[in-house]
Amino acid sequence: MTRSPSPGSSAGTAPSVLFVAPDRTRADAVAAALDRHDVSVTVEFDLGTALGRVVDRTVDCLLIPGQFGRHTAADVVALVRERHPDVPVVLLGPGGSDGDALADDPAAHRVSGDIESLSYDRLADRVRAAVARYRSSEAQRTERDIVSRLERRIQRTERKITSLHGVAMRLASVSDADDIYAETVEAAERILNLDICFAFAAEADWFVPRAQSSTPTDRELRPVPKDAGAMGETFRTGESHRAVDMELHAFGRPEFGDYRSGLSVAIGSFGVFQAVSEQTGAFDEIDLELAELLVAHTNAALQRLSFERRLRVERDQYAALFENSADCIIDSEFVDGESVIRAVNPAFEATFGYDESEVVGRAIDDVVAPDDRLDEAAKLTEMVRAGDFVQTEVRRQTANGERDFLLRSVPVGEDTIYAVYTDITARRDIEREMEAQNRRLDEFTSVVSHDLRNPLSVATGHLDLAREEIDNDHLAAVARAHDRMTALTEELLVLARQGTDALATTPVSLAETAERCWENVETGDAALVVADDRTIVADAGRLHQLFENLMRNAVEHGSTSRRDAPGDAVEHGSTGNRTAVSGSTDGGDDRGDSDDDRDDDRDSDDDRGDPRSVTVTVGALDDGFYVEDDGAGVPPELRSRIFDTGFSTGTAGIGFGLTIVSNVVDAHGWTVSVGESAAGGARFEFTGVGAGG
């Protein structure tokens, strides 16, 4: 029979008393009285059952009458002590002959008096005091047990850590990755008592087993996908996992056996270590921490191995580069403030003309710096010694005289310099020659721009005055010659300046550019048709040169006469420029008028026939644009030559217009081809042209 604590009491702190009652009356009386004093009472009438409760340690105190059947109080206490040495026993009733037997038992207490006349306040106080001492003693004993267990665990852990340091020392000398994995698993099994464990290496999309403990697994180990379970999650995040119960773990059961708990630890970027057990909760936090310590040593050993492998590869690559480089390389070190040569490569020996044995041990500047450049060389050496990377052009002394080099000095470590010399003598000679050519070109441009233009202007002025006074066919020929000389001068200036200005490309409209250029050309009765538009990326100024020269060429050479005789030259009445029929293109030399030209100048209008106006069409292609006309066209056998400077099929051509077109195309990286239009005229196609946004 059990009585509950009275209202307001705490069942968790109230003493739990087992009353071994001799009869129902006294059981009810004692239980009711103690309940009122916040003492939880359980009543048993069977002494055997009560002793069983003592064995189970489910009570804080036994309450026993002075005489229980044929057993005295001393008999009952002796039976209790056989089962529990410390549980408090409170005896009810007056003492008898057994008083001396209980005197030596500190956990046995007597409350004198008959049950009917007991002071229950006193009994409750005695019970609470006895239970308090018992609980305190149990707590101290439990604490001592815990401390003792912890001390033993700490000692075992310290021994394991010490042993793991020994493993780290052994791993430091292992030269094969498989041996490192095997050493890791062996240490986990021997030192950490992880009976079933594995090491997997990350390779491509799989974890490949590299080592396993001696205890066999349920299934044969095999490669595991990199995204599988706890292994994949551990490797991806670098976070360790401890599964108390794999049935309840987020990443499920292992791929290689029916296990209930496990550890999963990432071996850096190299793989994963795992330990498993058939028991639930087989691993605690200390097991995980020790496994992480072991795996940290494994990771360090694999990193060392990887670094040594890369170092060997880099050393071999450097040796190959040093020996086979076309550049001259000097390996040097700082000694007493000077950069002293340790080695040179074959390219240095070939270019500088010094054998390695002649220069090793000497200062670099003493070997290669000319006398008048020693100060410059010393400054460069100080810059490199200060840790700066130096790249500059220098002039250095070789066995066969001075040459130009691009010097790149690289500080390596605290005292080492690699000096790399690239021979640029040929390039510098070309640059100097180009500079000289540019100077000559500037002089030529000045002559064309000023020395030719000025007298031509004077001649044109006098010609105009002469034509006001007299009307003479010879003066008309002179005017035409002046026109050709003016055009020749302008085109020579364009050709001379085209290579000096860098391209400044922008998106431009094909249609707007064509229409604007058409307005800049003397077109007379000729017509422009813009078939379609597109945006292209080009230098606007150069593109204008291209269109204006093509349009001028089409207008001047595309008109046809009613005469069918090849070679006849006609005067285009609206332009004032000399043009050629049937296949003449702008690209001729400037030889003046021929006798035939002068004869034609004297022909009457009726003899010359009526010219027909040309139509020029501009349109878009998939990767460029075209310009075509319906004039006389270009014969197939001449199309490969019309861009050559000075080429012409007639006597009236200036010789540079289509050369300018070709130069503009080359500057942009385009391609130009010449063919025949649908109307039989010339068709120029430009491809490889970038499209604007």
Side-chain angles (χ1 to χ4, degrees), residues 98-148:
D98 56 3
D100 293 338
L102 300 176
D104 295 332
D105 190 339
H109 310 277
R110 183 180 295 278
V111 179
S112 301
D114 295 332
I115 293 179
E116 291 82 0
S117 61
L118 277 176
S119 170
Y120 288 106
D121 288 339
R122 182 183 173 195
L123 176 59
D125 290 341
R126 181 61 62 87
V127 167
R128 277 193 287 265
V131 170
R133 284 195 298 272
Y134 169 66
R135 287 181 175 177
S136 175
S137 176
E138 285 293 294
Q140 291 176 1
R141 185 163 42 253
T142 301
E143 182 178 351
R144 287 194 299 271
D145 290 344
I146 292 174
V147 170
S148 178

Side-chain angles (χ1 to χ4, degrees), residues 171 245 284 389:
L171 289 175
D245 187 345
D284 59 17
F389 169 77

Side-chain angles (χ1 to χ4, degrees), residues 159-366:
R159 288 195 295 271
K160 290 179 180 179
I161 291 174
T162 301
S163 298
L164 290 180
H165 285 309
V167 173
M169 298 297 293
R170 290 195 297 276
L171 289 175
S173 61
V174 176
S175 59
D176 182 79
D178 284 338
D179 291 340
I180 292 175
Y181 289 118
E183 180 75 21
T184 299
V185 169
E186 191 274 335
E189 187 176 14
R190 174 175 52 85
I191 299 173
L192 304 186
N193 300 320
L194 302 179
D195 295 335
I196 307 175
C197 52
F198 324 92
F200 286 79
E203 298 179 7
D205 296 329
W206 298 85
F207 292 114
V208 179
R210 288 296 186 88
Q212 68 181 97
S213 54
S214 58
T215 303
T217 61
D218 289 352
R219 291 198 295 265
E220 181 181 359
L221 288 183
R222 61 181 182 276
V224 177
K226 261 193 180 178
D227 57 353
M231 191 179 297
E233 180 69 11
T234 300
F235 184 77
R236 185 182 65 82
T237 64
E239 297 179 358
S240 302
H241 287 273
R242 179 171 68 94
V244 176
D245 187 345
M246 289 186 180
E247 294 287 351
L248 306 177
H249 197 277
F251 304 111
R253 303 167 71 84
E255 294 281 337
F256 40 80
D258 188 14
Y259 300 102
R260 297 301 305 274
S261 58
L263 301 175
S264 185
V265 181
I267 312 175
S269 61
F270 299 100
V272 176
F273 169 84
Q274 287 195 327
V276 293
S277 173
E278 296 176 349
Q279 303 298 319
T280 300
F283 308 103
D284 59 17
E285 288 293 336
I286 293 180
D287 292 324
L288 179 59
E289 291 174 2
L290 289 172
E292 289 176 334
L293 177 59
L294 170 61
V295 169
H297 295 323
T298 305
N299 184 45
L302 291 171
Q303 284 182 327
R304 171 188 57 80
L305 212 61
S306 176
F307 175 77
E308 291 174 350
R309 186 180 301 110
R310 290 197 304 270
L311 193 61
R312 286 194 298 272
V313 171
E314 290 174 0
R315 185 175 61 243
D316 294 343
Q317 290 175 339
Y318 169 74
L321 176 65
F322 188 83
E323 291 297 322
N324 300 310
S325 175
D327 292 331
C328 310
I329 303 177
I330 300 176
D331 180 347
S332 66
E333 64 178 343
F334 281 113
V335 178
D336 296 331
E338 291 187 319
S339 182
V340 177
I341 299 174
R342 295 189 301 196
V344 297
N345 70 338
F348 175 90
E349 294 178 311
T351 302
F352 279 84
Y354 304 127
D355 188 76
E356 184 177 49
S357 61
E358 299 178 60
V359 298
V360 169
R362 297 176 58 188
I364 293 179
D365 295 345
D366 292 345

Side-chain angles (χ1 to χ4, degrees), residues 570-600:
V570 299
E571 182 87 17
H572 193 294
S574 62
T575 64
N577 292 328
R578 191 75 169 181
T579 62
V581 301
S582 186
S584 294
T585 60
D586 189 359
D589 54 13
D590 184 37
R591 294 175 296 177
D593 293 336
S594 65
D595 293 339
D596 292 338
D597 290 337
R598 290 192 292 273
D599 291 341
D600 288 340

